[in-house]
Structures are given as C-alpha cells and as structure tokens.
Amino acid sequence: MDVILDVIDTFVFDRLYATILPVSHTGPGYTALENQTTYNQHVGVYFPLEPSRWVGASQWKRDHITRQALSLCLITWIFGLAMYLLGSTIVYHTLFDKNLLRHPRYLRNQIRQEIKQGLTSIPVMAILTTPFFLAEIRGWSKLYDSSTSAPFSAYTYLQYPLFICFTDSGIYWIHRWLHLPRVYRWLHKPHHKWVVPTPFASYAFHPLDGWSQSLPYHMFPFIFPLQKSAYLGLFIFVTVWTVLIHDAEYLSNSAIVNGAACHTMHHLYFNYNYGQFTTFWDNMGGTYRKPKSDGFLGNLVDITQGVQKRD
C-alpha cells in the first residue's frame, strides 16, 4: 500500500492537500520540493517517479498520520467500489444465468437492493480497514519489496498457498461464528436475504459482517512475511473470487474447491459450506454438503417444491 500511496500522492493527493491545507507562509528559503529525495522512496524500488510540484506545499506532509489515514480510507473506498461495480457488472453480463431472475425466490428489484446494500457497506468497511493499511505503511507489518528479502528462496512460491490456507481457515471459523443465532440475527442475516444471489450480492451485507470476514486477509502480513506485489495480486484475487462464488455459474464441481456450486448450498441451506476457497474445513467440521449436479436452478426448484409440499 505504501507504493500505491506514493503514486497517488504524486498525481492526486499532493495537489489536493496543498489546496485544502496550504502552508501558512513561503519564506525566502521555502521551496515546495524541499527534501524531495525523501519522497517516492517506496515506489522508487520498482520504477523512478519524480515528486510532484506540490509535494511540500501542504501543512500536512506525506508522513502526517492523519493525512495518511484519510488518503488510505479514500483509496480503499474508491478501489473497493470500482472492483465491486465493475467486477459484478462484467460477471452479471457474461456468466450469470438470467433464468434465475424469473425464479419465485428471486426478490422484486433485488439487484437494486443488493447494490444499495453494497454501496452502503463499502465505505464503512473502508473506514474499519484503514488501521491495517496505516500500520502497514508505517512499517509495522512483515511486507517486503523484493524476492531477495524473502525468508528463504522457496518462500516466494510458498507464500501463495500459505495465504490461501491461513485465510481459508480463518474465514471458515468466523463464518461459522456469524451463524450463531444471536450473531446471525444481528450481522449475517442481511446477506442471506438473497436466497438467489446475483454477482451484486458479493458485497451486499452488513458492513461489520464483511469486515469480520476480511480480517484473516489483513492479519496475514502481520504474522507471516508477504511480498508487496503478491499482496496486491492476492487482494485483487480475493475481490474477484468473492464475486465469482455468487455468480451461480458452476464453472467447477470440484470436491476440493469451494466455488459457486458449494456456495450455492450455503445460501440455500444456510448451515453448510462455510469455507471460502476450499472444502477442507467444511469436511473437517462436518458442515460440507455436496452440490447437486443439476446446478443452482435445479437446487432451487427442489427447495421450492419441498416448501410447497410442506405448506
């Protein structure tokens, strides 16, 4: 995140803060580029980037903690919003089965409701996530720049499965906790309003629900070393994966991968398939339910018929 902040400071925030909070005076010896060698040092590891002309023109210098927190919150909010709307829209128009929109369990104006809930949740989650990013750019994490800084040579490759295993375990247990009756009614129930979820349901939940399930991602680089480029790539991967498991398209019927087929079972039956990436912990915890081979629509038809028979 420090590399991203260098870049956005250079092209956006330097001028923004200089406009909002300009320096109170400019004496004979003042220059906006004073001590410019201390700027862009993080992005400079990857490619040269000259500081902007406004780099020192604000009362809030780049290392001002309030400025950093505000900048990180805005970046997280805008990035999350863009990934949510863009990713969900692409998946909706390419992979999502539109026949589901005619199903009896699909709610009236559901996509509009999903988007409204997602747009309401994302800024709150951005605020709650900002302390983790702030701690990272202030050097309190185990993030590193180059593969030469890895604990050992093979770790460059091992960090990826380690990240998946750690976060998959953490999310499983957090997700199960969210299904405890008292917690469920307060936090997780809004997400299960979407029995027939569309890709826009991927972030349509209570903000504390979404934030709690993101905790393993943000805790990982404070416990284990992680290369910065890998961290960014994994962050994008997680966002895309969250959209894909709500697309109702069975791209994989693997008994190991917790894809849309498995997550469908979770939305339909509630107490099964809590995992995020794999079915390992569901199998260990006795909460795995094998998806039917006839897909999301077939499962929904069976449930609807069952409800009608009981009625």
Side-chain angles (χ1 to χ4, degrees), residues 16-261:
L16 176 64
Y17 289 113
T19 302
I20 297 173
L21 285 170
V23 289
S24 56
H25 65 279
T26 55
Y30 170 79
T31 171
L33 294 179
E34 185 178 3
N35 297 323
Q36 61 176 301
T37 56
T38 64
Y39 295 103
N40 293 349
Q41 54 186 330
H42 300 294
V43 69
V45 174
Y46 301 92
F47 57 87
L49 181 65
E50 291 297 320
S52 70
R53 56 180 292 193
W54 300 280
V55 69
S58 172
Q59 296 177 41
W60 281 1
K61 306 305 180 187
R62 282 195 183 181
D63 60 354
H64 194 290
I65 190 169
T66 305
R67 167 174 167 165
Q68 288 178 331
L70 182 57
S71 298
L72 290 168
C73 186
L74 289 172
I75 292 170
T76 307
W77 183 0
I78 295 170
F79 176 82
L81 189 64
M83 289 293 292
Y84 167 59
L85 293 177
L86 182 61
S88 299
T89 300
I90 291 174
V91 172
Y92 176 79
H93 288 292
T94 56
L95 298 176
F96 184 67
D97 184 358
K98 305 299 191 304
N99 290 321
L100 293 170
L101 302 179
R102 297 193 296 270
H103 196 277
R105 304 296 294 275
Y106 178 80
L107 304 178
R108 183 180 180 183
N109 296 322
Q110 180 174 312
I111 291 180
R112 182 181 298 175
Q113 295 181 56
E114 289 172 339
I115 294 175
K116 181 179 179 181
Q117 192 171 41
L119 296 181
T120 302
S121 297
I122 288 174
V124 179
M125 288 190 290
I127 293 171
L128 295 174
T129 303
T130 294
F132 290 100
F133 290 148
L134 186 63
E136 290 169 10
I137 68 169
R138 298 187 81 82
W140 300 341
S141 73
K142 295 186 177 183
L143 291 169
Y144 59 91
D145 289 299
S146 170
S147 57
T148 58
S149 301
F152 50 91
S153 58
Y155 190 80
T156 300
Y157 306 100
L158 291 176
Q159 62 184 332
Y160 296 100
L162 181 60
F163 177 89
I164 296 298
C165 290
F166 177 84
T167 55
D168 198 42
S169 174
I171 291 172
Y172 174 83
W173 292 107
I174 291 172
H175 200 171
R176 284 199 69 169
W177 172 76
L178 286 165
H179 275 259
L180 295 175
R182 291 184 179 180
V183 181
Y184 178 82
R185 288 192 297 269
W186 178 45
L187 288 181
H188 199 48
K189 189 176 181 179
H191 186 61
H192 277 281
K193 177 181 180 180
W194 327 116
V195 179
V196 187
T198 77
F200 294 100
S202 55
Y203 282 82
F205 37 46
H206 190 291
L208 290 179
D209 177 0
W211 176 77
S212 66
Q213 293 192 66
S214 74
L215 284 175
Y217 306 134
H218 302 301
M219 291 169 57
F220 184 88
F222 292 92
I223 302 173
F224 302 99
L226 184 64
Q227 191 172 359
K228 291 178 181 178
S229 56
Y231 184 40
L232 179 61
L234 287 166
F235 194 77
I236 295 173
F237 165 73
V238 166
T239 303
V240 173
W241 183 266
T242 303
V243 174
L244 289 176
I245 62 175
H246 289 89
D247 69 0
E249 183 68 24
Y250 288 11
L251 297 180
S252 171
N253 281 312
S254 171
I256 299 174
V257 178
N258 186 60

Side-chain angles (χ1 to χ4, degrees), residues 281-294:
W281 285 104
D282 281 300
N283 280 298
M284 293 293 291
T287 56
Y288 176 67
R289 182 157 185 158
K290 184 179 179 179
K292 292 185 63 177
S293 59
D294 54 356

